[in-house]
Amino acid sequence: MFDKSKAVRKILPSPLRQRLRALILLAAVPSAASIIFFGFKDYEASIHQNAMYSARITHELVLTQQTLISETLSFLQKLAVDETVQDPSDPACSVFLSHILQLSDRYQNLGIPGANGDLLCTAIPLAQPVNVADRPYIRKALDQGVFSVGSFQSDRAAEVISVNFAYPVIPDGQREPVGAVVAVLGLEWWSKQLMRLELPDGTKAAITDREGKIIAIHPSDETALGKELASQAAFSNPPVTGPEGEMVQGDDGIRRVMSRSILFQDGEGQPIEVSLAFPVEQVLVEARQSVLIRLAVLGSLLVLFSSLALRILEGQVIRPLGALNQAILGFEKGQIEDHILEAQTSKVSDFEQISSSFRRMSRARLAAETSERERLQQLQALLDALPDSYFRLNRDGVILEYSATEAADLLMPPEQFVGRRAADVLPAPALKLFDENMKRYHETGRAVSWEYELEINGHRVDFEARVRPIGDGDEMVLVARNISELKRAREKILLQARTDFLTRLPNRASLTAELDAAVDDANRNDQQLVLLFVDLDGLKQVNDRLGHATGDGLLKLVSQRLRGCLGPRDFAARHAGDEFVLLLRGDDPAARARAATLRVLAAMQRPFVVGAETVHISASIGSAICPQDAKTPQALLSAADQAMYSAKSSGGGRIHLFTPEIGLRNANRIRLMDDLHAGLIKDEFELHYQPIVDLKSGRVVLAEALLRWNHPELGQLAPDRFLPLAEEGGLMVQLGDAGLQRACNDLPAFRNRFGEGFQICVNHSPSELSAREHGKGLDWASYIKANTPSDASIMVEITEAALLDPTPFTLSSLRSFHDAGIEIALDDFGAGYSSLLYFLNNEFDYLKIDREFAQSAPESQRAVALCETILGLSNRLGSRAIAEGIERESQLRFFQNRNCALGQGFLFSKGLSRRQLLEFTQVVDIK
């Protein structure tokens, strides 16, 4: 028998069954979405609850720490106004701070650095001097006069890892701080604060300083202190911010809710922060399990419902639709299966499939139109947002459509160019570029770009154009961008790259280009070119005495005066530092050079008023002429430089013209400078020693170390042959260190010969003091202490010139020698005047009378009066006098009769080698 139900079931397409199943699943989507949504809400609520707990714990910790900082600020403010603290150099200050420290179990140390950073007052005695000027928080407290907090550091006085606090100490009636009172808070305190919190297992907490370094961590881990917060597993990855707060998953795989808060923030926005990461992994697992259980229940119900629904739909929907579908298929083939239609007609209410198909087609058409409309809107929004003008052109160059954000970028109103060829619109210069690049575009079929300019409303406007094909290339889009500001920026950058920032003169790069062109022009046209190399005399002294701000202001004024000394065709540039180069060209520059240099010399000698200061300088000028003195730019610059060096060596404030002799001297100087460098490496230097005699007993008690250079070709050279070169080449520190080391090595042999009290006097030049201020060379005080049997066995001799304008570092160095027990001798006393006040206010163990005074006595009454005055001054102030340059017996008697302690000179001995001094007599006959 024929089974009609099976026939209908067979003719129903399988996609229809699938769509019915999908419909059932779709009906279940809201339920699943609700489960997931509320599960997610539970997830968020759990995280939020933990985040609130984390924030509360963080807030409690912040309040505790901020109370500490506030108490520390109040504590330091009270200390800063105490009279004992306001004089940090008074020993009573350290005693006072020591008592205060004993009353507090919070701070590791209390101290007061002075304005220069030296730790003047401290509760904990210092093993050695400490300077904290390099600490940023100290500088901030001193320079800005505010409370400041340091970073993770090793405290140099307390020798603990700490975070320090500083507050300026400003005595009553003064405006500038005399120092800053500092409280040292060890990291143990911070860590104890974290340990007091009752935190769940897996919770991580840390306090970081202004540089992001850990100063406390929970659980305790000393190895983490001082490291970046990201170095810890819990904080290794950046947090992800969501509605519930910040989540972070560390390298340990555990997810945590992260809470951060600022403990303290200075005026520069640099905070001390506390970070707490609260574990939520278990909460997330439980939330996921809840969602999965609910989804499993929904799935079971969905299976049951699907089975029941399919059974019902089979008889009520599927079979009637199958019959209708079979009828439609048969009709398309010219067949009518009435028996199937008749069997299922009673179960079909209307032609649902036809209407359903129409609805699908309508929705598809509407969706397509909506999508196209949205695409066009997006494209238009994109065009409106970009700072470009767009033109759609056909292959003939006719403008079909345009879009412009800025109407000011259009050459004319749109109605005047839409529908016209670009060739009919553009002016000639722009049209030429357009035609050239369009030809290149049609030949290559690739995008091309070019730059052009238009005059719009009386202003020049620069554009960049780009052409690209549309589709198959029948049309193209031209994009024009206004690059006027970009071109101005490029021009400004180019100008800045060729201009000295300070003086606004052309810089060395501009000088190189200008000099190359000028020399080439002079050689090609058989003309002369004069180059003046100007070096300022005294700028370094201005910087050292008045500061670099005054020096910079002086350089600006110098550049203005130099411009005023030149003609309209001449050129001035800053070469480097205090060096300027002037180019004189045009008609007979050699004849004009003399007058120009005299104007420059006069202009530099006139006083300069820089702010509230009046500054006096001069200039050394070297002149060279192209092509007589040199034919290449570098050779011309070098010749003028050599002539300038010759002028400076002659005393400065003058001009020297380049000559072959100057070139030869400079070549010899450079060669000797190279030999000097090689001599230091090859150890070609040795010490000679000139004995210094006790004028009462005749015993040799001292020897002055005198450096000699055993040059491989020129023989033994005295210091006056190479020390000026050493100062110029910055080698004085190396020579001084080499002399000190050799003197310390020779000392034991000399003491065996002349007794345990024998001393060696080692010279320390002013240029060495200046160089050591920048951290070069040995620390003499420490080296002498470590390499001699007693601190007083090496005497340091400085010249009076070092005290004519002493820097704070010079005075500090002298104090360090005195504090270390090293005796100091003042050489050439009487040659100047500025050292007299310093001599009266400080202790010098020896005073060496300048040899000019010693050699003129007793014949010159003026010399006698000066020597007697110096000897009287030395005796009254407790220093021993050494008379230099004793060459005659009458000089010896003169100083013996006036109770001069020691004498030195050729009458006793010249400078001796180490071997010669060891063979020299222990007692000189002075009777």
Side-chain angles (χ1 to χ4, degrees):
M1 294 290 294
F2 177 74
D3 192 340
K4 296 180 180 180
S5 63
K6 288 184 179 181
V8 173
R9 193 180 297 120
K10 288 180 181 179
I11 62 175
L12 185 65
S14 60
L16 181 57
R17 292 179 178 273
Q18 294 173 0
R19 283 193 291 272
L20 289 173
R21 291 190 180 97
L23 183 61
I24 295 173
L25 291 175
L26 184 61
V29 166
S31 300
S34 298
I35 293 173
I36 295 174
F37 174 78
F38 288 109
F40 182 75
K41 285 296 182 181
D42 293 342
Y43 170 91
E44 285 186 338
S46 300
I47 294 178
H48 180 71
Q49 182 180 1
N50 284 276
M52 293 296 293
Y53 178 75
S54 173
R56 182 175 61 80
I57 296 297
T58 304
H59 181 67
E60 293 176 359
L61 181 58
V62 166
L63 291 178
T64 302
Q65 305 301 317
Q66 288 180 340
T67 300
L68 165 69
I69 294 175
S70 299
E71 292 175 354
T72 300
L73 171 59
S74 176
F75 173 67
L76 293 181
Q77 287 175 332
K78 293 177 181 178
L79 281 183
V81 299
D82 190 275
E83 293 181 355
T84 307
V85 171
Q86 291 186 349
D87 186 7
S89 60
D90 190 344
C93 177
S94 297
V95 176
F96 175 70
L97 291 186
S98 177
H99 291 326
I100 295 298
L101 184 63
Q102 292 175 3
L103 299 177
S104 173
D105 60 350
R106 177 177 293 171
Y107 306 110
Q108 300 292 322
N109 190 18
L110 299 172
I112 304 175
N116 63 352
D118 289 335
L119 193 55
L120 303 177
C121 175
T122 175
I124 298 178
L126 299 176
Q128 60 183 6
V130 171
N131 186 284
V132 293
D134 58 328
R135 300 294 199 192
Y137 78 96
I138 294 292
R139 288 264 50 92
K140 181 176 180 180
L142 291 173
D143 296 340
Q144 301 181 17
V146 297
F147 175 65
S148 64
V149 183
S151 303
F152 178 93
Q153 66 176 43
S154 174
D155 188 79
R156 297 168 181 166
E159 296 183 348
V160 297
I161 304 301
S162 65
V163 174
N164 296 355
F165 303 81
Y167 190 83
V169 177
I170 305 176
D172 293 338
Q174 296 187 21
R175 300 179 64 182
E176 298 297 327
V178 299
V181 59
V182 177
V184 179
L185 186 61
L187 300 189
E188 295 84 359
W189 192 94
W190 301 87
S191 299
K192 289 178 182 178
Q193 297 303 311
L194 292 180
M195 292 175 61
R196 292 176 183 175
L197 300 175
E198 296 181 0
L199 300 175
D201 292 341
T203 302
K204 304 293 182 179
I207 301 176
T208 54
D209 66 11
R210 59 193 292 174
E211 296 177 358
K213 296 181 180 178
I214 297 174
I215 60 176
I217 190 167
H218 174 83
S220 179
D221 182 4
E222 293 185 359
T223 62
L225 299 182
K227 296 181 179 179
E228 299 289 339
L229 184 63
S231 66
Q232 304 305 302
F235 305 97
S236 58
N237 297 314
V240 177
T241 302
E244 69 281 1
E246 289 188 333
M247 288 281 292
V248 62
Q249 182 170 9
D251 289 344
D252 54 5
I254 298 176
R255 283 176 289 183
R256 296 175 174 88
V257 173
M258 189 169 181
S259 177
R260 296 181 180 179
S261 189
I262 296 176
L263 297 180
F264 175 80
Q265 187 169 9
D266 61 18
E268 298 174 358
Q270 297 180 331
I272 295 179
E273 289 187 337
V274 58
S275 300
L276 187 142
F278 191 88
V280 294
E281 191 66 32
Q282 185 60 37
V283 172
L284 301 182
V285 170
E286 293 174 357
R288 285 198 302 271
Q289 289 178 346
S290 175
V291 171
L292 292 176
I293 291 173
R294 294 175 185 177
L295 290 176
V297 172
L298 176 63
S300 300
L301 294 175
L302 183 62
V303 171
L304 178 61
F305 176 75
S306 298
S307 301
L308 293 175
L310 286 175
R311 182 176 297 274
I312 295 171
L313 290 173
E314 182 75 18
Q316 300 297 322
V317 177
I318 294 177
R319 289 179 183 174
L321 288 179
L324 180 58
N325 186 55
Q326 180 66 24
I328 293 172
L329 292 176
F331 181 77
E332 292 176 348
K333 297 177 181 179
Q335 299 175 359
I336 299 178
E337 299 182 1
D338 292 337
H339 59 283
I340 300 178
L341 277 175
E342 291 176 0
Q344 303 296 335
T345 295
S346 61
K347 298 179 181 180
V348 177
S349 61
D350 53 27
F351 296 97
E352 184 63 26
Q353 185 173 1
I354 298 174
S355 62
S356 176
S357 298
F358 177 79
R359 287 196 300 273
R360 285 198 301 272
M361 288 187 293
S362 299
R363 286 195 296 269
R365 178 65 179 270
L366 182 60
E369 292 178 351
T370 302
S371 176
E372 179 64 16
R373 186 166 53 254
E374 290 177 351
R375 188 186 68 81
L376 291 175
Q377 291 174 349
Q378 292 171 356
L379 179 59
Q380 187 61 47
L382 177 63
L383 295 178
D384 293 340
L386 294 176
D388 299 324
S389 298
Y390 298 85
F391 302 90
R392 185 166 63 90
L393 293 79
N394 62 18
R395 293 187 62 86
D396 298 327
V398 176
I399 302 173
L400 305 176
E401 188 181 6
Y402 87 100
S403 174
T405 305
E406 296 291 339
D409 289 341
L410 296 178
L411 184 62
M412 59 187 67
E415 59 271 14
Q416 296 183 16
F417 62 77
V418 174
R420 297 176 61 188
R421 295 176 65 252
D424 299 331
V425 174
L426 293 173
L431 177 60
K432 180 180 178 182
L433 291 172
F434 176 82
D435 289 339
E436 291 175 354
N437 287 278
M438 290 305 295
K439 180 179 179 182
R440 184 157 56 95
Y441 164 74
H442 289 302
E443 290 175 350
T444 62
R446 297 179 180 179
V448 296
S449 63
W450 69 96
E451 294 183 6
Y452 65 99
E453 64 181 54
L454 295 176
E455 184 174 334
I456 301 177
N457 297 326
H459 299 284
R460 193 194 82 177
V461 183
D462 294 290
F463 290 94
E464 179 188 51
R466 296 175 182 272
V467 173
R468 293 179 179 274
I470 299 176
D472 57 5
D474 288 337
E475 293 184 355
M476 52 195 162
V477 60
L478 185 148
V479 182
R481 172 169 294 184
N482 188 329
I483 59 170
S484 299
E485 293 184 4
L486 178 61
K487 291 198 68 173
R488 307 300 178 269
R490 290 174 183 169
E491 293 169 357
K492 183 177 180 180
I493 292 171
L494 180 61
L495 177 62
Q496 291 175 344
R498 301 179 69 87
T499 303
D500 179 61
F501 178 78
L502 178 64
T503 64
R504 311 314 297 171
L505 287 175
N507 59 14
R508 184 181 295 184
S510 294
L511 171 63
T512 300
E514 190 74 19
L515 184 58
D516 289 345
V519 170
D520 181 65
D521 188 57
N523 290 330
R524 185 175 60 254
N525 298 320
D526 194 21
Q527 295 178 341
Q528 287 185 327
L529 173 69
V530 177
L531 189 147
L532 302 180
F533 202 108
V534 182
D535 184 271
L536 303 182
D537 304 324
L539 178 64
K540 181 181 183 301
Q541 288 75 11
V542 172
N543 286 331
D544 293 342
R545 184 168 59 90
L546 302 177
H548 284 275
T550 302
D552 290 346
L554 175 61
L555 286 172
K556 293 179 182 178
L557 295 178
V558 166
S559 66
Q560 294 173 9
R561 291 191 184 180
L562 287 176
R563 288 192 189 100
C565 296
L566 301 179
R569 293 192 58 190
D570 299 331
F571 177 81
R574 186 184 182 192
H575 184 255
D578 57 356
E579 296 174 350
F580 297 84
V581 172
L582 312 179
L583 296 179
L584 307 183
R585 52 195 172 186
D587 298 332
D588 199 5
R592 295 191 295 112
R594 176 67 179 173
T597 53
L598 292 177
R599 288 196 299 271
V600 172
L601 287 176
M604 295 302 104
Q605 290 171 354
R606 294 201 309 271
F608 291 86
V609 178
V610 186
E613 303 290 342
T614 300
V615 178
H616 296 270
I617 61 170
S618 61
S620 299
I621 305 176
S623 174
I625 303 176
C626 172
Q628 288 93 319
D629 298 325
K631 295 184 178 180
T632 66
Q634 190 58 42
L636 184 64
L637 186 65
S638 176
D641 187 18
Q642 295 173 43
M644 180 277 297
Y645 180 83
S646 175
K648 204 171 190 68
S649 300
S650 300
R654 64 195 66 199
I655 178 174
H656 277 189
L657 306 180
F658 177 78
T659 62
E661 291 74 16
I662 289 178
L664 180 60
R665 284 200 307 271
N666 186 66
N668 292 335
R669 180 179 64 86
I670 294 174
R671 183 166 59 252
L672 195 60
M673 179 76 78
D674 293 338
D675 292 344
L676 190 60
H677 282 272
L680 278 169
I681 297 173
K682 297 177 182 178
D683 196 21
E684 294 175 355
F685 295 88
E686 66 171 322
L687 289 181
H688 280 203
Y689 299 91
Q690 186 173 27
I692 300 176
V693 178
D694 188 316
L695 295 185
K696 289 184 178 180
S697 64
R699 292 188 59 82
V700 177
V701 295
L702 277 162
E704 181 179 359
L706 305 171
L707 195 62
R708 297 290 185 268
W709 181 11
N710 294 317
H711 193 280
E713 298 177 3
L714 303 177
Q716 191 172 85
L717 302 181
D720 60 349
R721 288 288 304 278
F722 61 85
L723 286 186
L725 285 176
E727 289 198 15
E728 179 187 346
L731 299 177
M732 289 299 295
V733 171
Q734 293 94 316
L735 287 176
D737 290 348
L740 175 63
Q741 292 169 334
R742 194 174 295 275
C744 291
N745 292 337
D746 291 344
L747 180 64
F750 294 153
R751 285 204 159 192
N752 289 336
R753 172 64 178 167
F754 298 103
E756 291 300 319
F758 183 82
Q759 294 176 283
I760 296 178
C761 185
V762 181
N763 288 287
H764 205 289
S765 73
S767 59
E768 285 184 74
L769 284 171
S770 177
R772 293 184 195 280
E773 184 173 0
H774 303 289
K776 296 182 180 179
L778 297 174
D779 179 350
W780 275 34
S782 301
Y783 187 85
I784 292 172
K785 194 174 185 69
N787 293 276
T788 58
S790 67
D791 297 335
S793 56
I794 295 291
M795 179 197 308
V796 176
E797 177 179 315
I798 67 168
T799 63
E800 193 181 31
L803 300 179
L804 292 178
D805 191 11
T807 65
F809 180 80
T810 299
L811 303 181
S812 174
S813 298
L814 296 180
R815 284 195 298 270
S816 69
F817 288 137
H818 185 270
D819 295 343
I822 299 170
E823 293 186 328
I824 305 173
L826 182 60
D827 193 16
D828 297 337
F829 187 78
Y833 63 89
S834 296
S835 63
L836 179 60
L837 179 61
Y838 185 79
F839 178 74
L840 293 173
N841 293 331
N842 297 269
E843 296 184 11
F844 281 93
D845 302 284
Y846 292 88
L847 188 152
K848 301 186 77 173
I849 302 174
D850 185 73
R851 66 176 64 249
E852 296 296 330
F853 301 150
Q855 290 179 345
S856 299
E859 291 81 4
S860 170
Q861 292 302 313
R862 181 174 179 276
V864 169
L866 286 171
C867 289
E868 289 177 346
T869 300
I870 294 173
L871 288 170
L873 180 65
S874 174
N875 291 332
R876 288 184 179 87
L877 295 179
S879 298
R880 303 186 71 190
I882 303 175
E884 292 186 296
I886 298 179
E887 299 179 357
R888 304 189 307 276
E889 187 172 342
S890 61
Q891 296 170 339
L892 172 62
R893 301 297 174 229
F894 172 81
F895 286 107
Q896 283 180 319
N897 293 336
R898 286 162 178 76
N899 295 321
C900 182
L902 304 170
Q904 177 183 359
F906 286 173
L907 181 64
F908 309 123
S909 174
K910 63 177 183 178
L912 304 173
S913 66
R914 179 180 184 278
R915 179 184 59 79
Q916 291 171 332
L917 183 59
L918 289 174
E919 296 173 355
F920 191 70
T921 179
Q922 297 177 341
V923 180
V924 177
D925 184 8
I926 59 173
K927 296 182 180 179

